[in-house]
Amino acid sequence: MFTISPTMKIKSKLTLISMLLRPCQSYLLPNQASSAVSTRFLSHAFRTNQGKATPTAKTGDPSVRQSTPTSRFLSSGGALPSTRHIGKAEMAEILDDYEHAGREESMYCVIDVRTPDEIRMTGSLGKNVYNIPVETLMHTNALALDDDDFEAEFGFAKPQMDETLVFSCAAGIRSNYACQAAALAGYTNLINYRGGANEWFSNFY
């Protein structure tokens, strides 16, 4: 009798999530139906990660499970914080503030969730815009890492809960998934640039 191992099950789940996040999806615009579907898959992925016992900085005891925003959300059955979807003109205002005033003063943290190859093809939205591909953001549960681990992994300070996270991709789908992943990690100030790089590098507003 053929038996499916736990490892095979996990790989199947990650493969399914990756299929949902393929760049071809960025030709679609986020809507209520896609939001609901992605939320279910995100919740399942984060539940899988949360169920794993990990050593803690204080005790080093792998049997201790920490209370996190994600675990509290999943146990409470609450709704995800809403995401604000913006267009090119508003994104231009945010980037102007972000690039000139800086992250600390503007209270924005702008993250492009495209792949590095995509960014090389078009250029970046701004010199201070960070890059974490959405697959990495989700598979590593990046926004649930502690501050030191996050900075060591991605090369910049982890966003704080009072910052506004602004996500962009090619056309608003992957960045919408990123917003939902951030919501599961406990962030509440979330903006999705729905036009993405496709709109940003076009010649009209």
Side-chain angles (χ1 to χ4, degrees):
M1 181 176 178
F2 181 73
T3 303
I4 299 176
S5 68
T7 301
M8 290 175 66
K9 289 180 180 178
I10 293 172
K11 287 182 178 179
S12 297
K13 293 171 188 174
L14 295 180
T15 299
L16 185 56
I17 293 171
S18 296
M19 289 173 64
L20 289 172
L21 297 173
R22 284 177 180 170
C24 63
Q25 289 186 325
S26 60
Y27 291 102
L28 304 173
L29 288 176
N31 55 47
Q32 189 173 6
S34 66
S35 235
V37 171
S38 60
T39 298
R40 288 197 294 273
F41 278 100
L42 282 164
S43 298
H44 188 75
F46 273 73
R47 187 181 290 109
T48 300
N49 282 346
Q50 290 293 323
K52 296 178 181 178
T54 53
T56 66
K58 292 182 179 179
T59 66
D61 183 357
S63 67
V64 177
R65 290 180 60 184
Q66 299 297 296
S67 174
T68 66
T70 305
S71 62
R72 289 194 293 272
F73 164 79
L74 293 172
S75 63
S76 69
L80 288 174
S82 61
T83 295
R84 183 157 64 95
H85 301 279
I86 64 171
K88 187 173 183 178
E90 193 169 356
M91 185 63 172
E93 292 177 2
I94 288 173
L95 284 175
D96 183 66
D97 187 18
Y98 178 68
E99 295 289 351
H100 288 89
R103 176 176 162 184
E104 186 174 345
E105 186 174 335
S106 69
M107 292 300 291
Y108 290 118
C109 180
V110 184
I111 301 176
D112 192 330
V113 296
R114 294 180 294 160
T115 65
D117 284 344
E118 288 178 277
I119 294 173
R120 278 192 289 270
M121 287 178 63
T122 64
S124 175
L125 274 66
K127 64 179 181 180
N128 294 316
V129 174
Y130 303 115
N131 175 226
I132 305 177
V134 71
E135 291 86 354
T136 302
L137 185 79
M138 290 177 58
H139 292 175
T140 62
N141 207 347
L143 293 171
L145 296 173
D146 66 35
D147 292 355
D148 291 340
D149 288 344
F150 182 96
E151 188 163 1
E153 180 70 23
F154 300 109
F156 64 94
K158 181 183 175 182
Q160 299 303 300
M161 291 297 175
D162 58 349
E163 287 185 278
T164 297
L165 291 182
V166 183
F167 291 103
S168 178
C169 62
I173 292 294
R174 284 172 288 171
S175 51
N176 192 43
Y177 289 135
C179 285
Q180 293 176 49
L184 282 170
Y187 292 89
T188 57
N189 302 316
L190 303 168
I191 294 177
N192 174 38
Y193 174 30
R194 62 184 175 221
N198 291 349
E199 179 185 62
W200 184 258
F201 292 105
S202 67
N203 294 322
F204 58 90
Y205 276 82

